[in-house]
Amino acid sequence: MHPDMSKQYIARHDKAMRTVIQAFTKGQCGSHDLIADVGKTEGLKDIGVHSKRVPAFVLPDRCLQARGLDPTVERGFLQGPGGAADTQSKMGPDMMIVEMTTAEQQQYLRHDDTSGSRLTPLTPLMPNGNPRRIKIVEGGYCSDTRYEEKLQEKGAQHKALEEALKDYGYNVTTLPIIIGQSGSQYHYI
């Protein structure tokens, strides 16, 4: 694929996912922590995104280390042996919504530590005793005849992250959003 075409595909994807993020922030999930890797960091805060990578206060380093992973590499602070694309696919979902109370938002989202490493980790349980909910949203385009294949690909893209979050005790749901080549949206949305 020509590099210019690749950049255009990425720009189209990021624009679509920013639209999804704006829709989520206007709903009942808008008050939760939003993590998103959809383009350049500039402008993400304007649409309610707090970080491009999963911060340590959401998923402590010890959870990654227990799975044999290097937190510095996985969080994208250093380029891993697989390169930037490998690192991005592990800890940079298109969007991740972390359920938080208002008090937790004030404690965790009003700080300068973008890695979250100096903050006490969130507990996997909400104050009411229910498991904290996290939604991982991954978007993708496909030809109109490759829907099932793309759905499986996007559903599995962040499996290691999903499993690490579940091991910590979160209630995790992965939601792939697939858009057909000509803009078709499928019935599962």
Side-chain angles (χ1 to χ4, degrees):
M1 178 183 310
H2 192 278
D4 289 342
M5 288 302 294
S6 181
K7 289 178 188 176
Q8 290 176 355
Y9 285 136
I10 292 168
R12 175 180 71 167
H13 168 272
D14 289 351
K15 184 177 179 182
M17 289 310 300
R18 284 172 181 256
T19 301
V20 170
I21 290 167
Q22 289 171 330
F24 268 88
T25 59
K26 290 180 179 157
Q28 67 187 51
C29 292
S31 60
H32 300 330
D33 183 20
L34 278 178
I35 298 159
D37 189 7
V38 290
K40 296 182 180 176
T41 304
E42 300 82 34
L44 289 179
K45 293 217 184 293
D46 296 340
I47 60 171
V49 174
H50 302 109
S51 177
K52 284 188 74 155
R53 297 286 183 262
V54 179
F57 72 82
V58 173
L59 186 61
D61 288 349
R62 63 181 151 70
C63 295
L64 295 170
Q65 291 162 339
R67 296 182 138 295
L69 302 171
D70 179 349
T72 308
V73 173
E74 299 303 316
R75 293 191 198 285
F77 300 125
L78 293 177
Q79 185 168 317
D86 187 40
T87 303
Q88 178 182 7
S89 68
K90 293 176 184 170
M91 295 295 287
D94 285 343
M95 180 170 68
M96 191 169 103
I97 304 165
V98 180
E99 183 178 30
M100 297 180 95
T101 65
T102 303
E104 288 170 333
Q105 289 171 5
Q106 292 173 352
Q107 178 183 356
Y108 290 98
L109 304 182
R110 300 190 197 304
H111 60 82
D112 295 331
D113 181 14
T114 56
S115 71
S117 61
R118 293 183 302 219
L119 298 169
T120 304
L122 284 172
T123 62
L125 298 177
M126 294 295 289
N128 63 8
N130 291 332
R132 188 178 305 275
R133 294 175 295 183
I134 293 182
K135 292 180 179 74
I136 298 173
V137 180
E138 190 64 35
Y141 280 87
C142 69
S143 65
D144 293 336
T145 58
R146 290 189 49 233
Y147 162 74
E148 288 293 332
E149 183 181 328
K150 184 59 82 169
L151 183 63
Q152 289 177 3
E153 174 192 325
K154 290 300 179 179
Q157 185 171 345
H158 295 288
K159 200 50 111 177
L161 172 60
E162 180 181 346
E163 289 172 3
L165 291 165
K166 285 180 178 179
D167 286 351
Y168 187 57
Y170 293 122
N171 176 359
V172 183
T173 305
T174 298
L175 174 64
I177 297 179
I178 310 303
I179 302 170
Q181 187 172 358
S182 58
S184 305
Q185 292 182 345
Y186 297 94
H187 66 283
Y188 70 92
I189 295 180

